[in-house]
């Protein structure tokens, strides 16, 4: 995967989950402040009325859990604009509850939206970026997965949300390593921390506590209380600033990332909470890793490590 990408002045962005939050803010930002074009999608297209209606904006109904809906939306988009340069897999929601209290149907619905929806769009996007875009003179493009701090670290009461985001990060890392550089297809995992959207309210499905987990001092209940507090979002990031940075990163890249080559980073923590907590986790993880060295290396000789050097990138 090449590190550098040149954003066309008339780039076409395809964004899922635009009825609110980061998706709506990003679609509005592109439509209002750039010469780029945008395809804004949501389960109910009537919820897209807040996004400006201009010749550079196409609003479509899209259910990311339906492959037919995905194919219809992408076909319509290509017919309308001729190509798609940037795919933003943003649609998703939170699911909070003790793991024992979450039904299988609720857990699978979470995975269908947060993980499988992004997977199906990504798999459909690849031939568009590889085969359709070059017909218009633009080679390749960018696929951005909006995961979260919760795609790298897990917190109590959110087991299936984290499962969906961890899965999306692993899926994307593998896919990104499968593609030859000359396809000019780039991936970026956007990992926001707390953002002042409706994630903690209307976009959060909450399951009643399991009878064994009612003690208010238990971790899940402490986190519930934090999220329900009026002060919870006081220091969270402004979604307008989040999308401005996202756009700038796609347009300009980040100097020094990708092993010093610059360009679009594969992972982008956004917010002091995301960056800070991830760094702390890495530091603590390295300490633990060091303690385990003797036990780990006692299992096999250095030849085992030498045999998989080809996997390093």
């Amino acid at each position: 995967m090449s590190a550098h990408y040149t954003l066309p002045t008339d780039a076409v962005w395809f964004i899922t989950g635009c009825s609110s939050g980061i998706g709506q803010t990003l679609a509005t930002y592109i439509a209002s402040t750039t010469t780029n074009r945008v395809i804004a999608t949501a389960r109910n297209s009537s919820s897209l009325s807040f996004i400006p209606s201009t010749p550079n904006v196409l609003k479509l109904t899209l259910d990311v859990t339906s492959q037919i809906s995905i194919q219809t939306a992408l076909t319509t988009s290509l017919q309308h604009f001729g190509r798609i340069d940037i795919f933003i897999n943003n649609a998703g929601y939170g699911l909070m509850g003790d793991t024992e209290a979450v039904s299988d149907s609720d857990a699978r619905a979470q995975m269908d939206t947060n993980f499988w929806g992004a997977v199906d769009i990504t798999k459909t996007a690849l031939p568009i970026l590889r085969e359709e875009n070059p017909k218009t003179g633009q080679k390749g493009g960018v696929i951005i997965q909006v995961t979260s701090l919760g795609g790298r670290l897990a917190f109590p009461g959110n087991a299936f949300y984290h499962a969906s985001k961890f899965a999306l990060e692993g899926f994307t890392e593998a896919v990104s390593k499968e593609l030859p550089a000359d396809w000019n297809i780039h991936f970026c995992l956007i990992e926001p921390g707390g953002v002042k959207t409706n994630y903690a309210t209307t976009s959060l499905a909450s399951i009643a506590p399991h009878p064994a987990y009612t003690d208010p001092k238990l971790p899940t209940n402490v986190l519930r209380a934090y999220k329900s507090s009026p002060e919870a979002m006081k220091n969270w990031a402004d979604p307008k600033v989040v999308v401005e940075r996202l756009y700038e990163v796609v347009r300009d890249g980040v100097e020094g990332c990708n092993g010093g080559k610059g360009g679009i980073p594969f992972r982008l923590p956004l917010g002091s909470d995301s960056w800070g907590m991830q760094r702390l986790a890495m530091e603590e993880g390295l300490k633990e890793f060091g303690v385990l060295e003797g036990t780990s290396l006692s299992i096999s000789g250095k030849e085992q490590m030498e045999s998989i050097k080809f996997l390093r990138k």
Side-chain angles (χ1 to χ4, degrees):
M1 185 175 61
S2 172
H4 294 281
Y5 175 73
T6 301
L7 183 69
T9 56
D10 63 345
V12 179
W13 297 62
F14 183 95
I15 309 172
T16 68
C18 292
S19 61
S20 62
I22 290 175
Q24 183 185 93
T25 307
L26 178 60
T28 300
Y29 177 80
I30 293 170
S32 304
T33 66
T34 79
T35 59
N36 292 183
R37 297 169 289 176
V38 61
I39 301 140
T41 72
R43 278 181 179 267
N44 185 349
S45 58
S46 64
S47 66
L48 302 174
S49 59
F50 294 98
I51 299 168
S53 296
T54 75
N56 282 347
V57 176
L58 176 63
K59 302 178 185 181
L60 297 176
T61 297
L62 171 63
D63 177 358
V64 299
T65 67
S66 165
Q67 292 189 1
I68 294 175
S69 181
I70 290 171
Q71 191 59 62
T72 299
L74 291 175
T75 299
T76 301
S77 299
L78 287 174
Q79 291 172 344
H80 191 84
F81 285 131
R83 71 174 196 271
I84 304 172
D85 300 290
I86 316 294
F87 287 84
I88 310 282
N89 281 314
N90 169 70
Y93 65 96
L95 176 64
M96 187 163 193
D98 309 303
T99 301
E100 289 189 68
V102 178
S103 69
D104 285 354
S105 59
D106 283 336
R108 287 186 168 88
Q110 172 100 108
M111 295 298 293
D112 283 343
T113 296
N114 290 13
F115 175 65
W116 286 111
V119 167
D120 289 339
I121 289 175
T122 298
K123 291 174 69 175
T124 309
L126 289 173
I128 292 174
L129 297 172
R130 181 182 63 240
E131 299 163 17
E132 298 300 324
N133 285 6
K135 296 176 183 178
T136 68
Q138 293 293 337
K139 188 176 183 181
V142 183
I143 297 175
I144 294 176
Q145 318 284 30
V146 180
T147 66
S148 82
L149 168 61
R152 296 286 273 172
L153 302 178
F155 302 96
N158 294 269
F160 296 103
Y161 174 79
H162 291 303
S164 69
K165 296 300 188 180
F166 272 54
L168 183 55
E169 294 232 352
F171 164 81
T172 306
E173 184 171 340
V175 174
S176 71
K177 293 176 179 178
E178 295 174 2
L179 312 186
D182 62 5
W183 288 2
N184 195 34
I185 297 176
H186 305 255
F187 289 86
C188 184
L189 294 163
I190 301 295
E191 300 167 340
V195 181
K196 294 176 183 176
T197 65
N198 59 359
Y199 164 75
T201 54
T202 58
S203 289
L204 178 67
S206 186
I207 307 297
H210 184 281
Y213 296 83
T214 56
D215 185 341
K217 295 179 182 178
L218 288 176
T220 297
N221 297 326
V222 171
L223 191 57
R224 279 186 196 272
Y226 165 74
K227 287 187 174 182
S228 63
S229 167
E231 295 293 306
M233 293 194 293
K234 182 178 179 180
N235 296 314
W236 289 10
D238 184 336
K240 293 181 180 179
V241 178
V242 171
V243 304
E244 287 172 2
R245 293 297 172 273
L246 191 161
Y247 185 85
E248 290 169 0
V249 166
V250 174
R251 184 191 63 196
D252 304 327
V254 176
E255 186 177 353
C257 69
N258 292 307
K261 295 179 290 186
I264 298 174
F266 180 70
R267 284 189 169 90
L268 179 63
L270 289 175
S272 60
D273 52 355
S274 181
W275 188 89
M277 293 188 75
Q278 288 196 52
R279 176 171 179 170
L280 180 61
M282 291 176 190
E283 291 172 346
E284 292 177 344
L286 280 174
K287 292 178 183 178
E288 181 78 3
F289 211 68
V291 171
L292 298 173
E293 181 179 9
T295 302
S296 297
L297 300 188
S298 69
I299 301 302
S300 62
K302 65 179 182 179
E303 294 80 11
Q304 185 178 24
M305 178 62 182
E306 294 292 327
S307 71
I308 60 169
K309 273 189 172 181
F310 71 95
L311 294 174
R312 297 178 65 185
K313 189 174 181 179

